[in-house]
Amino acid sequence: MEIEYFLETLGREGRLLAAAAEVAGTDAKVTTCPGWQVRDLVRHTGMVHRWAAAFVAEEHTSYHPDGGLPDLDGHELLAWFREGHRRLVDTLAGASPDVRCWSFLPAPSPLAFWARRQAHETTVHRVDAESALGGEPTAVATDFAVDGIEELLRGFHARSRSRVRTQEPRVLRVRATDAEAVWTVRLSAQPPVSGRDEQGDADCELAGPAARIYLALWNRTPFPGVTGDASLAELWREKSGIT
């Protein structure tokens, strides 16, 4: 996917998030994030947007801490969020393609990393904001969901920080039924090793439309289909949280 696609998605998703938060109100409960109210979600996502923008704008080549959460609420909080979201989109859109800065997952370039990561970050949190309204969330495009599954399985959970591990080797298969996309996730006492393939037998398969699998792997919705050893699906639920 091109950087421009991610930037378009980031712009749209941030606007949808703010609109949902405004309608729900900052006191509303975020059903996809137990214990959070809308104000917590908006503060967190706005902080991440500013943190990400700073790496690109200021060209930090090593990890740089975030600026913390604001002591804002209501209309002031939403205005702060919208300003930071616009700043992030403008920063990424205006950056040089060869900008050098810190990133933490493999990508063609730091700019490509941040555009992709923030598009997915904002999309998942937009779904969170819409959960405070009830009903079905705005649809996630199939191709974008497939990319998000790829980032999560072969990016985040390829790192040593992943806690999705088993004492004995097990195989988890993830299948997006509407996109002809399949991943094989090999679990062991080491970090998961995921391939975009369907090699060998699987102990458990998670299958369904790409958008539903995407949100389920981010622990926002139930898995649409589980066959085989359901304990591996439960393991994912318990251990896959990103910190």
Side-chain angles (χ1 to χ4, degrees), residues 79-161:
W80 174 86
F81 173 85
R82 286 181 167 118
E83 192 280 328
H85 172 246
R86 284 195 300 270
R87 185 191 307 173
L88 172 62
V89 173
D90 290 347
T91 295
L92 295 175
S96 170
D98 59 358
V99 63
R100 300 287 183 183
C101 63
W102 180 82
S103 58
F104 59 88
L105 295 178
S109 69
L111 183 60
F113 163 80
W114 284 111
R116 181 196 203 191
R117 176 82 291 278
Q118 289 308 300
H120 286 294
E121 174 88 10
T122 306
T123 298
V124 172
H125 287 318
R126 181 270 297 168
V127 171
D128 293 332
E130 291 182 344
S131 79
L133 298 172
E136 288 294 315
T138 303
V140 176
T142 297
D143 56 348
F144 183 72
V146 168
D147 182 77
I149 297 168
E150 178 81 4
E151 183 202 42
L152 185 60
L153 295 181
R154 304 186 70 187
F156 277 105
H157 285 286
R159 302 186 300 167
S160 62
R161 298 175 66 174

Side-chain angles (χ1 to χ4, degrees), residues 17-31:
L17 190 162
E22 190 164 33
V23 173
T26 56
D27 288 334
K29 292 182 179 179
V30 180
T31 60

Side-chain angles (χ1 to χ4, degrees), residues 30-42:
V30 180
T31 60
T32 51
C33 298
W36 269 21
Q37 293 175 293
V38 167
R39 66 172 57 85
D40 302 305
L41 174 68
V42 174

Side-chain angles (χ1 to χ4, degrees), residues 21-86:
E22 190 164 33
V23 173
T26 56
D27 288 334
K29 292 182 179 179
V30 180
T31 60
T32 51
C33 298
W36 269 21
Q37 293 175 293
V38 167
R39 66 172 57 85
D40 302 305
L41 174 68
V42 174
R43 287 169 180 167
H44 166 80
T45 312
M47 175 273 290
V48 171
H49 285 171
R50 284 167 164 74
W51 176 73
F55 282 106
V56 177
E58 301 171 21
E59 299 188 26
H60 296 297
T61 55
S62 60
Y63 176 81
H64 191 75
D66 63 69
L69 301 177
D71 185 19
L72 297 172
D73 204 353
H75 293 301
E76 289 185 344
L77 175 60
L78 290 171
W80 174 86
F81 173 85
R82 286 181 167 118
E83 192 280 328
H85 172 246
R86 284 195 300 270

